[in-house]
Amino acid sequence: MAVVHAAPKWSSNEGVLAKLSDSLAGLLIAAREEHGEIVLTIARDKIVEALTILRDQHAYQQLMEMAGVDYPDRAERFEVVYMLLSLTANHRVLVKVSAAEHTPVPTVTGLWPVAGWLEREVFDMYGVIFAGNHDLRRILTDYGFEGHPFRKDFPLTGYQELRYSQEEQRVVYEPVKLAQDLRQFDFMSPWEGAEYVLPGDEKAQGEAK
């Protein structure tokens, strides 16, 4: 007979918010519970100290993920979100810091070496600088890529396109050009509507009667 193992149940947030708020006093900007998660906003220059406390004193051993968020209307338009997991307490917590384009966030590679890759991703997509990361280079886009594609003001077409040049026998970068020669306007399109009846439309008209 097959044995069915129940999925692990996440520990309750009861008492966690107050406990972490007390422990992070002086480092904390805001603390709240949102959508079932504990969310802590930390002063940017205190992020390494705060994450050290969460790791060593509250057993949030793993940095599961880092993410960036862009709010163009804010003075510090970017948020960096650290997602921590406590294996022993079976609990998760989100930690946030704010940053502008020219206000570096201290690296946390000294706490979790995996942060090196995660910080590179946030840098690549948003342009956030991580002070102390000695390998801060693009990780998802190409080396010749211009700009940061997850910013809200980044154009959908990008700034450059690449192609393989037979003459130069290499990949070359060029400014984006929206080529028209391959576009077909024989049928309905977003640019102009066909005035004729397409095959099969007569059936729909018959059903409408």
Side-chain angles (χ1 to χ4, degrees):
M1 188 174 81
V3 178
V4 178
H5 297 280
K9 183 179 180 181
W10 292 104
S11 298
S12 169
N13 288 334
E14 185 177 355
V16 176
L17 185 59
K19 181 180 178 182
L20 296 182
S21 297
D22 290 341
S23 186
L24 297 171
L27 313 177
L28 200 62
I29 295 176
R32 66 187 186 278
E33 183 175 346
E34 188 174 284
H35 305 299
E37 299 274 4
I38 299 295
V39 182
L40 308 172
T41 302
I42 303 294
R44 183 174 55 256
D45 60 341
K46 303 294 184 180
I47 184 61
V48 175
E49 183 179 353
L51 292 181
T52 301
I53 291 172
L54 290 172
R55 186 192 67 175
D56 297 345
Q57 298 182 20
H58 299 280
Y60 289 96
Q61 302 98 336
Q62 291 194 355
L63 174 63
M64 301 299 295
E65 182 60 278
M66 286 179 60
V69 190
D70 184 17
Y71 299 97
D73 296 334
R74 295 183 182 179
E76 293 188 334
R77 64 182 291 182
F78 304 114
E79 275 189 352
V80 180
V81 185
Y82 304 81
M83 305 167 197
L84 307 183
L85 170 66
S86 171
L87 296 172
T88 51
N90 202 25
H91 195 266
R92 294 174 290 187
V93 66
L94 302 182
V95 181
K96 297 183 178 183
V97 297
S98 296
E101 189 168 1
H102 303 295
T103 54
V105 177
T107 184
V108 296
T109 51
L111 299 177
W112 294 284
V114 69
W117 291 71
L118 303 176
E119 290 174 355
R120 284 177 59 187
E121 183 176 342
V122 176
F123 162 73
D124 195 0
M125 296 293 102
Y126 294 93
V128 176
I129 302 298
F130 291 90
N133 186 320
H134 302 296
D135 191 26
L136 198 61
R137 54 194 169 95
R138 294 188 182 275
I139 191 172
L140 296 179
T141 60
D142 189 66
Y143 291 111
F145 194 87
E146 181 181 343
H148 303 281
F150 279 9
R151 291 187 179 186
K152 297 290 180 62
D153 53 6
F154 186 83
L156 294 178
T157 57
Y159 298 104
Q160 293 181 324
E161 60 184 9
L162 58 87
R163 64 177 178 83
Y164 184 78
S165 171
Q166 291 289 352
E167 295 79 12
E168 301 182 42
Q169 297 292 301
R170 66 182 181 87
V171 172
V172 296
Y173 293 87
E174 298 173 332
V176 169
K177 298 186 295 291
L178 297 177
Q180 302 288 334
D181 53 337
L182 297 179
R183 292 184 178 178
Q184 302 294 328
F185 297 95
D186 292 338
F187 301 99
M188 299 291 289
S189 76
W191 297 278
E192 59 185 32
E195 297 180 356
Y196 51 81
V197 178
L198 296 175
D201 283 357
E202 69 279 358
K203 298 178 181 178
Q205 292 175 358
E207 292 175 358
K209 296 178 180 178

